[in-house]
Amino acid sequence: MTVSAAAELVGVTKRFGSVLANDGIDLAVARGEVHAVVGENGAGKSTLMSVLYGLHRPDAGHVLREGRRVRLRSPADAIAHGLGMVHQRFRLFPELTVAENVVLGAEPVARGAVDRAAARRAVADLGERYGLRADPSARVGRLPVGVRQRVEILRALYRRAEVLILDEPTAVLTPGEADRLFEVLRTLAAGGVSVLLVTHKLGEVLAASDRVTVLRQGRVTGRFTTAETTADELVQAMIGRSLTATATHRPGAVSDADHVLEVRDLSVRDRDGVARLSEVSFGVRPGEIVGLAGVAGSGQRELVDTVTGLRTSGAGDTGQVLLGGTPVRPGRDRRVAYVPEDRHGRATAPEMSLAENLLMGDQHEVGGWRLARGVVRARARDLVERFSISAASADVPVSALSGGNAQKAVLARELSRHTPVIVVEEPTQGVDVGARERIHALLTEARDRGQAVLLQSSELSELRDLADRILVMYEGRVVAEYPAADATDALLGQAMTGSAA
Ligand SMILES: Nc1ncnc2c1ncn2[C@@H]1O[C@H](COP(=O)(O)OP(=O)(O)OP(=O)(O)O)[C@@H](O)[C@H]1O
Ligand SMILES: [Mg+2]
């Protein structure tokens, strides 16, 4: 007798116009396993997960639940069949409590009214069972991202999900939160829940999964038992080659030229008068990459917003930001290239074409959109090629690009502007290993051309690989500075939590 899989995708094919996103994919997830799904940007991972969750109807193929064929016409169908999905952009109501969010739409009822006590109890019980601690009465809007994600998981479990899909769940988490998430996933699996985990971080795959399926260009190119594979073997299946010997840190030739970016005694307050930056001072020279480390909310956001000119100074702000000796221009200083973390909100106009997005901000230089269609297209072709952005054509809206390709598009646009200063946040979040290598090379090249780079990243290894110096922020101050070569996880971690010696 064969034991049927908890869920199985059989021969799934899905096209978007001329793009074959999934091409006859078979994937079975066993009961109680953590099954990782990896592959390059655009390989078809999210599409496949959307088919399983009833968000996309496949052109061919079908889904089995415990050996039986199910029709998934919508997420409601998927939920009814015990499938759950944790979305990257959380779908929670900040004004409601944890318990209210968890039961929303499926409230327990007693005597014709919502049974609030039962809701809180259910949340507490599930939390207890799976190590998903969250205060049922807390307002979601006040919770850190890691806890909000737990609420999303609780929502799915409350609806009796037996198969849980997580698409790049750690992209929004700090390393500590990610570790806690993996503990939860292990507990869920031990309790019989099947977990499908999409991620680009091979370290996570090796540490947290039981089996791995690798996709490439819409097809399965590898199936592995995690304990019997290596990162290199996975990379081979993902991109068809090994990574070049990891770009060990290659320090740049930092000139002793003056700082092209200089932050002097900067203090800023938010609207409520709370100090967000206190007496921050540092400089970045041409040909230098300065890394910014810190737990989320330590002032990085305010610092970046001030350096790029996005933040208009408020009452009580003091100090200066100088670019090449003159103050940064409010609004958005064009002398600074900026690759924001939130690539959808801040960096792209999702409904405009890739070509238009690649030129955005520079359209006046070519005489406006309409006048210069040829220029727009030529520029787009060049950047698509140089940055290996994979898209059906330059005319597709950016919203149709996979996450990693959207990120490459923003980098392509910003790095090709050859500004004296580049500010980058989380440059490789959500991008595949090959693209990560490429993006690191592009940033190093920019540095070698003499651009000054300010790099914010929550990945300490990324800071070490790229930066010459690392500044650590804590509660709005720069509390430590290390040459990249000396910045161990332990040292950085201490400084990031305010416990540096
Ligand atoms: N709604 C859509 N319309 C048009 N094309 C789409 C749509 N969704 C996905 N695609 C295309 O299908 C292919 C697979 O995309 P998908 O989002 O599944 O990739 P992915 O493996 O999740 O990539 P990433 O790692 O970047 O998230 C890509 O070429 C993408 O551009
Ligand atoms: Mg995806």
Side-chain angles (χ1 to χ4, degrees):
M1 194 188 91
T2 55
V3 180
S4 42
E8 194 168 352
L9 291 138
V10 183
V12 167
T13 294
K14 177 72 190 173
R15 280 176 198 283
F16 295 106
S18 60
V19 177
L20 188 51
N22 288 168
D23 183 6
I25 294 180
D26 295 325
L27 188 157
V29 51
R31 189 178 138 83
E33 78 165 335
V34 177
H35 193 120
V37 179
V38 301
E40 287 179 293
N41 294 131
K45 305 177 296 292
S46 295
T47 303
L48 190 67
M49 296 304 111
S50 298
V51 167
L52 183 56
Y53 193 57
L55 285 161
H56 286 323
R57 295 258 219 123
D59 299 313
H62 57 265
V63 174
L64 302 178
R65 259 289 275 149
E66 290 178 332
R68 265 187 229 112
R69 189 162 166 169
V70 290
R71 281 168 71 86
L72 307 173
R73 275 154 307 196
S74 67
D77 285 349
I79 291 165
H81 282 105
L83 300 158
M85 184 151 178
V86 174
H87 296 274
Q88 218 179 60
R89 309 200 139 204
F90 302 145
R91 301 175 175 196
L92 300 172
F93 292 88
E95 295 308 315
L96 300 183
T97 66
V98 168
E100 286 163 347
N101 268 285
V102 168
V103 303
L104 196 71
E107 291 87 351
V109 177
R111 285 185 229 108
V114 175
D115 187 345
R116 287 166 186 281
R120 282 197 297 273
R121 234 175 11 251
V123 171
D125 287 351
L126 282 170
E128 188 65 30
R129 203 153 114 216
Y130 296 114
L132 280 157
R133 260 163 271 287
D135 172 6
S137 312
R139 282 208 192 282
V140 160
R142 296 175 175 273
L143 299 173
V145 173
V147 182
R148 284 190 219 186
Q149 187 176 59
R150 254 175 260 163
V151 178
E152 281 266 327
I153 297 174
L154 285 167
R155 249 173 89 81
L157 295 174
Y158 180 74
R159 285 161 182 71
R160 304 184 190 287
E162 291 172 352
V163 178
L164 192 63
I165 305 165
L166 299 105
D167 194 350
E168 298 191 43
T170 59
V172 293
L173 302 184
T174 63
E177 287 173 331
D179 288 344
R180 281 192 290 281
L181 171 67
F182 291 126
E183 278 171 35
V184 166
L185 297 185
R186 298 280 10 145
T187 316
L188 287 171
V193 176
S194 307
V195 177
L196 274 157
L197 171 69
V198 177
T199 178
H200 286 293
K201 299 178 187 168
L202 296 184
E204 295 180 351
V205 171
L206 294 174
S209 73
D210 300 299
R211 290 195 300 154
V212 192
T213 294
V214 183
L215 300 186
R216 184 164 188 223
Q217 293 173 359
R219 297 181 180 201
V220 175
T221 52
R223 297 178 213 277
F224 302 94
T225 300
T226 308
E228 294 162 10
T229 189
T230 60
D232 192 53
E233 203 174 20
L234 294 175
V235 168
Q236 284 277 358
M238 284 166 68
I239 65 177
R241 62 174 175 92
S242 295
L243 289 177
T244 43
T246 31
T248 39
H249 186 71
R250 205 164 42 83
V254 180
S255 67
D256 16 318
D258 290 340
H259 293 141
V260 58
L261 166 64
E262 184 153 18
V263 176
R264 280 192 195 156
D265 270 331
L266 187 67
S267 297
V268 313
R269 291 173 183 281
D270 66 15
R271 264 188 231 111
D272 302 327
V274 178
R276 292 294 170 185
L277 292 176
S278 304
E279 294 157 20
V280 171
S281 294
F282 67 93
V284 188
R285 293 197 168 83
E288 186 179 35
I289 300 180
V290 170
L292 269 188
V295 297
S298 300
Q300 303 95 318
R301 158 98 304 126
E302 290 80 3
L303 180 60
V304 164
D305 283 356
T306 312
V307 167
T308 52
L310 281 166
R311 184 180 197 282
T312 39
S313 61
D317 291 3
T318 54
Q320 272 188 311
V321 175
L322 302 173
L323 294 173
T326 59
V328 67
R329 297 184 200 117
R332 168 78 172 81
D333 197 308
R334 301 295 300 163
R335 294 172 295 172
V336 184
Y338 177 38
V339 181
E341 178 177 0
D342 177 8
R343 60 192 76 128
H344 295 297
R346 282 188 162 191
T348 57
E351 298 318 317
M352 287 174 81
S353 73
L354 171 60
E356 287 165 327
N357 270 281
L358 284 171
L359 205 68
M360 199 163 284
D362 291 338
Q363 63 270 35
H364 47 277
E365 284 163 29
V366 295
W369 294 126
R370 220 147 273 168
L371 293 172
R373 233 164 232 295
V375 181
V376 174
R377 278 168 168 277
R379 164 83 170 261
R381 263 200 305 277
D382 175 46
L383 291 180
V384 163
E385 162 88 33
R386 271 174 35 215
F387 287 77
S388 32
I389 302 167
S390 102
S393 88
D395 298 321
V396 297
V398 159
S399 57
L401 296 190
S402 75
N405 280 301
Q407 174 71 341
K408 279 194 262 180
V410 176
L411 273 155
R413 180 185 71 213
E414 294 298 314
L415 294 185
S416 63
R417 289 177 47 224
H418 302 294
T419 51
V421 175
I422 304 173
V423 176
V424 205
E425 295 172 334
E426 307 291 355
T428 58
Q429 187 170 91
V431 311
D432 65 56
V433 287
R436 177 186 157 103
E437 189 187 38
R438 183 92 193 94
I439 287 167
H440 281 191
L442 289 165
L443 288 170
T444 315
E445 282 161 32
R447 175 199 70 188
D448 292 344
R449 277 194 304 269
Q451 289 174 284
V453 182
L454 183 63
L455 165 72
Q456 184 271 321
S457 175
S458 52
E459 244 184 273
L460 302 182
S461 60
E462 177 160 79
L463 291 174
R464 263 194 303 270
D465 285 350
L466 288 175
D468 299 287
R469 291 182 286 138
I470 300 175
L471 308 178
V472 184
M473 299 195 70
Y474 176 70
E475 292 191 339
R477 294 173 187 272
V478 173
V479 293
E481 174 180 338
Y482 305 104
D486 302 345
T488 59
D489 276 7
L491 270 179
L492 290 171
Q494 276 171 11
M496 284 164 66
T497 50
S499 47

